[in-house]
Amino acid sequence: MQIVVGVAVVEEGRVLAAYRPGPDGGWEFPGGKVEPGESEEQAAVREIQEELDVEIAVGESLGPGVDISAEYRLHVYRARIVAGDPVPREHSELRWFGPAELDESDWLAPDRPFVRRLRPRI
C-alpha cells in the first residue's frame, strides 16, 4: 500500500489548510506520496516545499493512518514553518483555520479524523 503524507502546519493557534478544487474538492492537509527510499517525514518536507514553497520542521504524527482507497493510506503529521510564506502552487486556495472554525464537513473524508484529533491540540 502506498503511503500518502499530509501536513498540518500549525502556527499561532491556527492550522493551514489547502482547498482542492473540482467536483470532489474540499479542504485538506497538503502533502503527497512517499517516494521509494524516503521516510514519511522526508516526503512531508519535500511535498510542502513543492506545493507551498515553504520549509517546514516536521513534528508528531496525528495518530493511525486512514485508508484513502485500496491503494493509498493517509498519515498526517504536525509541522511548523521555518522559512518562507505559503503560496498555493497546486491548490485553488490556502486558509488558516482557528480551532473553532474547523468544521469537518468542509474537509475531504480521509482528512476528517485528523481534523478531530488536531482540533483540541492547536
Side-chain angles (χ1 to χ4, degrees):
M1 178 164 294
Q2 172 85 48
I3 299 295
V4 175
V5 291
V7 179
V9 176
V10 179
E11 189 175 280
E12 299 173 7
R14 56 195 185 147
V15 64
L16 185 63
Y19 193 83
R20 181 185 295 179
D24 298 324
W27 292 104
E28 67 178 352
F29 295 114
K33 297 179 188 85
V34 177
E35 299 295 337
E38 205 175 38
S39 71
E40 291 181 17
E41 292 86 351
Q42 289 168 328
V45 169
R46 177 185 52 75
E47 286 285 347
I48 296 307
Q49 180 66 50
E50 291 172 4
E51 291 189 13
L52 305 180
D53 198 23
V54 295
E55 188 178 324
I56 60 167
V58 179
E60 67 181 341
S61 167
L62 292 178
V66 171
D67 289 341
I68 298 173
S69 67
E71 294 88 29
Y72 297 105
R73 186 165 183 80
L74 176 65
H75 292 191
V76 176
Y77 289 83
R78 189 178 173 119
R80 62 183 174 81
I81 295 173
V82 295
D85 293 312
V87 176
R89 289 184 165 175
E90 298 183 14
H91 295 85
S92 62
E93 184 180 351
L94 298 177
R95 181 175 160 198
W96 291 97
F97 287 88
E101 299 172 301
L102 289 173
D103 180 353
E104 292 170 42
S105 65
D106 295 336
W107 288 69
L108 296 178
D111 292 83
R112 292 176 190 169
F114 300 105
V115 171
R116 277 193 298 275
R117 295 174 198 159
L118 181 65
R119 187 184 296 123
R121 297 159 54 185
I122 291 181

